[in-house]
């Protein structure tokens, strides 16, 4: 392929800007070449626009990557991370050149896609396309929400921008429309997105799949849109950024017509530049064409480094200036300043959980979603940093904090968020809010639709982000809406995400304890899985183990020891705990001594000591598990004398109680299956109710 005319724009002798941009380009090229793995094309094409941003506008301090009022920069097209690592190194973050030389190698701080927490200056883990853009929307929301809460006349303590660099793939993903729509609707004027409009994805030209007018699409979302035709025109890009910052009422998209693999004689503007090393010969030819020394590799010309490193003094000055403004703010508003420090550190006020409700059977049967709503109301008044909502299901998920207003352009201090029916974006926005810090973000939907937000949930877990999910309608017990709305495999699905804590409380009191766990967990997401249907309230005077037991994941709710041990352990979660309790009574009538273990969180239980787990589930005692979900996963508790009452098919449309009965979730079946595990052949074991049940599903 002939070199493109665009190559001619680099003329010798290079300006300082060109020298700096080529430094970034060739660092990325050399990193990918040395690793013989990675994505050189996007960095080569986008180096100039990234440089324009980092050199001319981005507010950051390489020596303090966590300074609260820094601008945020997210490389949503995470595959182009060689560019980000190059920027971090040259501007003076704690990322030595050796780390760049260790790109994608074991133990390096330069992993194959940016990983939050691994590399200083990386604001978000990116790679799954589209997520980073929606994270940016979440960060921009956090910025305006915190500004509304903390800024006072004469004191702009929170005042920064969120910049995101996206690729075609980011904008092809549906989440870009979900989050773009929210950003436009919310008038997020401090969100600025640079788009590497290079017309190439992995399979070839975007003509294959992506032909709509992207500018018109984002304009329709309510964004300011600008186009820059010359990808290396730093001044024009800087001007577009300036325009974007002047536009305070709309988010901005700046499409820069970049050229993937810019400078490579044979690979520029082709998919071949996307995801593999250029090759030794092509690297040589590219350097030659760009008038760059063939060796040494990882070359950083002194003038370029000196220029880049001015970022250190610039950043430190900006931070010092902010700190002095913060001091003045603190003098006038001491309590507010202390609050700011507290929420930025994800600290909790003393006594935040004192006097949470203790429910009694006299309160009447209560769905755990309702109990959760009551807890949110209380916690929401104690923790002003709680901010969240639902994907258009708030009346069902009980996620509103009454009296705190809706977050909307007219009320930026509002804390109830309306995400619309956009679960994927909701999850990623919650992640962005958590990454920003200063808020406790939460979001709710029907449990079955957590599948729509699995990608951001996975990232929340990977990044140990304290995000809380409120999932209601937790089983076939939700009833009439039928199999499309009845979760079966979701519990095991979420439990299998490393670092995700799933809590499925059995009643209102376990729900209170579950919320305590969720708020207290400063690192890592928590999913609260709650019923639509009413459940009896467990009497705390009888079941006093609840408050201390829930945080342990599993505990003895009630026991029937004979010579220190029960005959059988009934493990149940959520609504099925009540079946276990009833089943235990039926078993007792037949002389079988059953222990009921409530296990709201298998994840938390698995983290307890061997001794504790042995105490709860003695090795030699048979077990029956009862859970209205897929039996997969419970096998880890299983030995020869274990059975599971679960569901290995989809549900059915009918009133919830009836569906539960048809699938074997009855006290009678609990009793019968327990006898089966015990190999109790005794005729006439007193389990039967009037109508014998047939067991469907699996056990
Ligand atoms: C959700 C998701 N799907 C698929 C991929 C695999 N993937 C990585 S980059 C890419 C597309 C590349 O095109 P573009 O976004 O335009 O990047 P460029 O070619 O400009 O580097 C794909 C499909 C991914 N990272 N994330």
């Amino acid at each position: 392929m002939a070199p493109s005319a665009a190559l001619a724009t680099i003329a010798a002798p290079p300006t300082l800007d060109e020298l700096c941009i080529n430094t970034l380009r060739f660092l990325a090229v050399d990193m990918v070449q040395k690793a013989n793995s990675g994505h050189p094309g996007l960095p080569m094409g986008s180096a100039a626009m990234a440089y324009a941003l980092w050199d001319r506008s981005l507010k950051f301090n390489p020596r303090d990557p966590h300074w609260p009022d820094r601008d945020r920069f997210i490389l949503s097209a995470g595959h182009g991370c060689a560019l980000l690592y190059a920027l971090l190194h040259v501007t003076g973050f704690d990322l030595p050149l050796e780390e760049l030389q260790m790109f994608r190698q074991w133990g390096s701080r330069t992993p194959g896609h940016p990983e939050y927490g691994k590399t200083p200056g990386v604001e978000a883990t990116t790679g799954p396309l589209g997520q980073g853009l929606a994270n940016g929307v979440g960060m921009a929301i956090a910025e305006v929400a915190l500004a509304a809460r903390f800024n006072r006349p004469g004191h702009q303590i929170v005042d920064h921008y969120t910049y995101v660099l996206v690729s075609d793939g980011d904008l092809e993903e549906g989440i870009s429309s979900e989050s773009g729509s929210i950003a436009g609707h919310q008038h997020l004027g401090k969100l600025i997105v640079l788009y590497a409009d290079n017309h190439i994805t992995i399979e070839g030209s975007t003509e294959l799949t992506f032909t709509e007018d992207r500018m018109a699409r984002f304009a329709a979302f309510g964004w300011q849109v600008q186009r820059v035709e010359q990808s290396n025109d730093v001044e024009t890009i800087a001007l577009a950024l300036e325009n974007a910052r002047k536009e305070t009422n709309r988010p901005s998209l700046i499409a820069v017509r970049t050229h993937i693999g810019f400078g490579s004689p044979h690979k520029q503007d082709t998919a071949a530049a996307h995801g593999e090393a250029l090759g030794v010969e092509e690297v040589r030819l590219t350097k030659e064409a760009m008038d760059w020394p063939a060796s040494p590799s990882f070359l950083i010309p002194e003038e370029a480094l000196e220029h880049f490193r001015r970022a250190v003094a610039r950043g430190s000055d900006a931070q010092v200036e902010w700190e002095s403004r913060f001091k003045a703010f603190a003098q006038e508003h001491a309590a507010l300043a202390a609050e700011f420090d507290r929420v930025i550190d994800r600290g909790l006020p003393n006594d935040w959980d004192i006097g949470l409700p203790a429910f009694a059977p006299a309160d009447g049967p209560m769905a755990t979603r309702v109990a959760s709503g009551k807890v949110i109301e209380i916690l929401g008044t104690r923790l002003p940093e709680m901010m969240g909502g639902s994907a258009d299901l708030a009346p069902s998920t009980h996620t509103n904090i009454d009296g705190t207003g809706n977050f909307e352009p007219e009320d930026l201090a509002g804390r109830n968020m309306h995400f619309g029916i956009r679960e994927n974006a909701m999850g990623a926005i919650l992640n962005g809010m958590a990454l920003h810090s200063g808020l406790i973000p939460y979001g709710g939907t029907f449990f079955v639709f957590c599948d729509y937000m699995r990608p951001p949930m996975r990232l929340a877990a990977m990044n140990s982000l304290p995000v809380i999910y409120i999932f209601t309608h937790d089983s076939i017990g939700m009833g009439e809406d039928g199999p499309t709305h009845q979760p079966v495999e979701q519990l095991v699905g979420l439990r299998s995400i490393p670092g995700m804590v799933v809590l499925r409380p059995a009643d209102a009191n376990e729900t209170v304890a579950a919320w305590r766990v969720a708020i207290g967990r400063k690192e890592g997401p928590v999913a609260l899985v709650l019923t639509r249907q009413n459940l009896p309230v467990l009497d705390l005077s009888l079941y006093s183990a609840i408050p201390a037991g829930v945080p342990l994941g599993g505990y003895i709710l009630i026991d029937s020891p004979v010579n220190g041990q029960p005959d059988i352990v009934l493990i149940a979660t959520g609504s099925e705990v009540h079946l276990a309790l009833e089943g235990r009574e039926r078993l007792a009538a037949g002389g079988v001594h059953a222990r009921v273990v409530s296990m709201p969180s298998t994840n938390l239980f698995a983290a307890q000591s061997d001794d504790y787990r042995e105490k709860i589930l003695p090795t030699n005692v048979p077990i029956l598990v009862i859970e209205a979900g897929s039996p997969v996963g419970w096998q880890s508790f299983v030995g020869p004398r274990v059975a599971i009452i679960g569901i290995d098919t989809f549900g059915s449309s009918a009133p919830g109680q009836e569906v539960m009965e048809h699938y074997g979730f009855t006290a009678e079946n609990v009793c019968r299956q327990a006898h089966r595990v015990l190999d109790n052949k005794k005729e006439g074991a007193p389990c039967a109710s009037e109508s014998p049940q047939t067991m469907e599903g699996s056990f």
Side-chain angles (χ1 to χ4, degrees):
M1 157 143 223
S4 141
L7 279 178
T9 58
I10 297 290
T15 63
L16 181 59
D17 283 348
E18 286 166 346
L19 195 70
C20 289
I21 293 164
N22 279 342
T23 300
L24 296 174
R25 274 194 185 112
F26 286 110
L27 279 175
V29 164
D30 288 340
M31 287 165 71
V32 175
Q33 189 58 45
K34 182 156 192 283
N36 198 19
S37 158
H39 303 77
L42 185 128
M44 295 167 80
S46 305
M49 72 176 177
Y51 172 76
L53 171 63
W54 282 60
D55 187 64
R56 306 290 156 87
S57 6
L58 195 71
K59 182 173 72 169
F60 65 102
N61 182 0
R63 297 294 145 85
D64 187 354
H66 301 292
W67 162 41
D69 202 40
R70 69 194 183 278
D71 289 340
R72 305 315 198 252
F73 172 77
I74 304 172
L75 180 66
S76 188
H79 60 277
C81 57
L83 174 60
L84 179 54
Y85 300 147
L87 282 162
L88 293 171
H89 169 70
V90 293
T91 55
F93 283 81
D94 180 18
L95 193 70
L97 192 62
E98 299 77 62
E99 290 289 344
L100 270 52
Q101 291 163 338
M102 290 270 287
F103 182 48
R104 293 187 152 222
Q105 305 308 305
W106 180 262
S108 79
R109 278 186 266 157
T110 49
H113 289 83
E115 291 179 29
Y116 175 70
K118 191 163 265 183
T119 316
V122 167
E123 299 277 10
T125 293
T126 52
L129 289 165
Q131 293 290 322
L133 172 57
N135 293 160
V137 175
M139 289 185 187
I141 286 173
E143 197 269 348
V144 289
L146 291 171
R149 180 169 176 215
F150 290 104
N151 288 350
R152 289 293 181 272
H155 298 286
Q156 294 290 112
I157 293 313
V158 183
D159 184 13
H160 53 265
Y161 289 89
T162 302
Y163 297 94
V164 187
L165 196 158
V166 301
S167 64
D168 293 307
D170 285 301
L171 298 193
E172 284 189 35
E173 287 289 351
I175 191 172
S176 68
S177 287
E178 294 183 21
S179 58
S181 172
I182 294 176
H185 174 78
Q186 294 289 3
H187 297 210
L188 299 177
K190 288 164 105 175
L191 173 67
I192 299 174
V193 176
L194 284 163
Y195 166 30
D197 183 13
N198 65 23
H199 297 203
I200 294 291
T201 65
I202 290 177
E203 293 183 1
S205 162
T206 47
E207 288 301 311
L208 289 170
T209 51
F210 194 31
T211 49
E212 85 259 15
D213 183 340
R214 279 83 97 178
M215 299 287 99
R217 190 177 129 210
F218 275 80
F221 290 149
W223 289 50
Q224 179 203 58
V225 293
Q226 303 177 74
R227 189 182 283 286
V228 177
E229 291 300 339
Q230 292 297 325
S231 62
N232 294 314
D233 186 348
V234 172
E235 294 313 326
T236 306
I237 297 168
L239 196 67
L241 287 165
E242 190 62 46
N243 288 339
R245 279 190 298 275
K246 281 191 194 139
E247 170 58 76
T248 55
N249 205 32
R250 291 182 295 172
S252 290
L253 180 70
I254 303 170
V256 182
R257 175 53 173 113
T258 59
H259 295 269
I260 193 166
F262 180 84
S264 162
H266 299 101
K267 296 194 171 176
Q268 175 178 319
D269 292 319
T270 75
H274 164 81
E276 59 188 23
L278 293 180
V280 174
E281 180 59 7
E282 190 65 13
V283 169
R284 191 186 67 73
L285 290 173
T286 307
K287 289 183 175 174
E288 190 177 282
M290 305 277 284
D291 210 12
W292 194 258
S295 69
S297 55
F298 295 94
L299 173 68
I300 306 177
E302 235 167 72
E303 309 97 279
L305 188 63
E306 195 193 316
H307 181 70
F308 277 122
R309 285 286 156 96
R310 291 192 187 144
V312 174
R314 206 167 55 229
S316 142
D317 288 351
Q319 181 168 354
V320 165
E321 194 268 336
W322 178 80
E323 280 166 355
S324 77
R325 283 192 287 117
F326 190 83
K327 223 180 200 168
F329 167 69
Q331 270 162 9
E332 232 178 283
H333 304 282
L336 205 54
E339 265 292 277
F340 183 84
D341 287 339
R342 177 182 73 74
V343 298
I344 290 292
D345 290 343
R346 202 4 184 115
L348 292 168
N350 289 336
D351 300 346
W352 67 272
D353 63 342
I354 299 294
L356 290 181
F359 294 100
D363 295 324
M366 191 184 298
T368 51
R369 64 174 170 153
V370 172
S372 168
K374 292 179 192 292
V375 181
I376 289 177
E377 289 288 350
I378 295 169
L379 290 175
T381 58
R382 296 180 186 180
L383 301 170
E385 64 270 37
M386 277 180 74
M387 184 170 170
S390 182
D392 198 45
L393 287 169
S396 288
T397 51
H398 294 257
T399 37
N400 271 354
I401 308 171
D402 274 353
T404 58
N406 288 338
F407 176 75
E408 54 196 4
E410 297 73 33
D411 182 10
L412 296 173
R415 288 158 55 201
N416 292 311
M417 301 178 72
H418 296 280
F419 290 99
I421 307 107
R422 305 180 182 104
E423 294 84 1
N424 194 355
M426 175 170 75
I429 286 170
L430 297 173
N431 286 354
M433 292 163 70
L435 285 162
H436 182 282
S437 78
L439 296 168
I440 298 181
Y442 66 89
T445 184
F446 287 166
F447 189 32
V448 79
F449 300 133
C450 76
D451 288 349
Y452 274 58
M453 55 192 287
R454 215 177 140 89
M457 294 178 77
R458 183 169 193 270
L459 287 169
M462 194 178 289
N463 296 312
S464 305
L465 302 181
V467 174
I468 300 170
Y469 309 105
I470 297 149
F471 294 131
T472 63
H473 300 56
D474 71 338
S475 77
I476 57 170
M478 57 86 68
E480 290 87 343
D481 276 340
T484 56
H485 284 51
Q486 293 171 345
V488 171
E489 73 281 20
Q490 282 65 27
L491 270 174
V492 59
L494 290 199
R495 284 174 184 149
S496 71
I497 300 177
M500 175 74 66
V501 167
V502 182
L503 281 147
R504 184 169 183 248
D507 83 325
N509 288 317
E510 277 204 359
T511 304
V512 174
W515 263 105
R516 261 203 190 90
V517 172
I519 295 288
R521 190 159 194 255
K522 295 184 181 179
E523 295 192 349
V526 174
L528 302 175
V529 180
L530 307 169
T531 64
R532 171 195 182 215
Q533 73 273 29
N534 284 337
L535 300 174
V537 172
L538 296 170
D539 188 340
L540 280 169
S541 63
L542 286 177
Y543 303 109
S544 56
I546 289 175
V550 170
L552 300 172
Y555 63 99
I556 299 169
L557 190 62
I558 189 163
D559 210 357
S560 321
V562 194
N563 303 327
Q565 286 215 332
D567 298 322
I568 186 167
V569 175
L570 308 179
I571 305 178
T573 82
S575 45
E576 288 70 74
V577 167
H578 303 276
L579 284 183
L581 290 173
E582 216 181 310
R584 174 178 165 274
E585 279 175 20
R586 292 188 187 211
L587 286 165
V592 174
H593 302 271
R595 165 185 295 181
V596 174
V597 168
S598 175
M599 195 168 295
S601 176
T602 57
N603 311 100
L604 292 175
F605 185 69
Q608 304 309 318
S609 68
D610 288 351
D611 283 354
Y612 178 75
R613 284 181 292 137
E614 175 66 26
K615 201 176 98 193
I616 305 300
L617 306 177
T619 315
N620 55 350
V621 178
I623 289 175
L624 175 65
V625 177
I626 311 137
E627 182 174 76
S630 164
V632 174
W634 286 109
Q635 278 87 346
S636 56
F637 292 90
V638 172
R641 299 177 73 202
V642 179
I644 304 166
I645 301 178
I647 307 169
D648 61 4
T649 175
F650 291 112
S652 301
S653 169
Q657 183 57 33
E658 223 172 293
V659 180
M660 289 292 258
E661 284 168 13
H662 275 283
Y663 281 74
F665 291 93
T666 62
E668 179 203 332
N669 196 35
V670 169
C671 180
R672 282 202 292 119
Q673 298 309 325
H675 279 292
R676 213 160 121 154
V677 180
L678 291 167
D679 204 17
N680 193 338
K681 299 273 188 312
K682 256 193 299 180
E683 281 303 309
C687 288
S689 60
E690 326 62 68
S691 56
Q693 306 284 333
T694 38
M695 182 64 184
E696 292 183 31
S698 68
F699 48 89

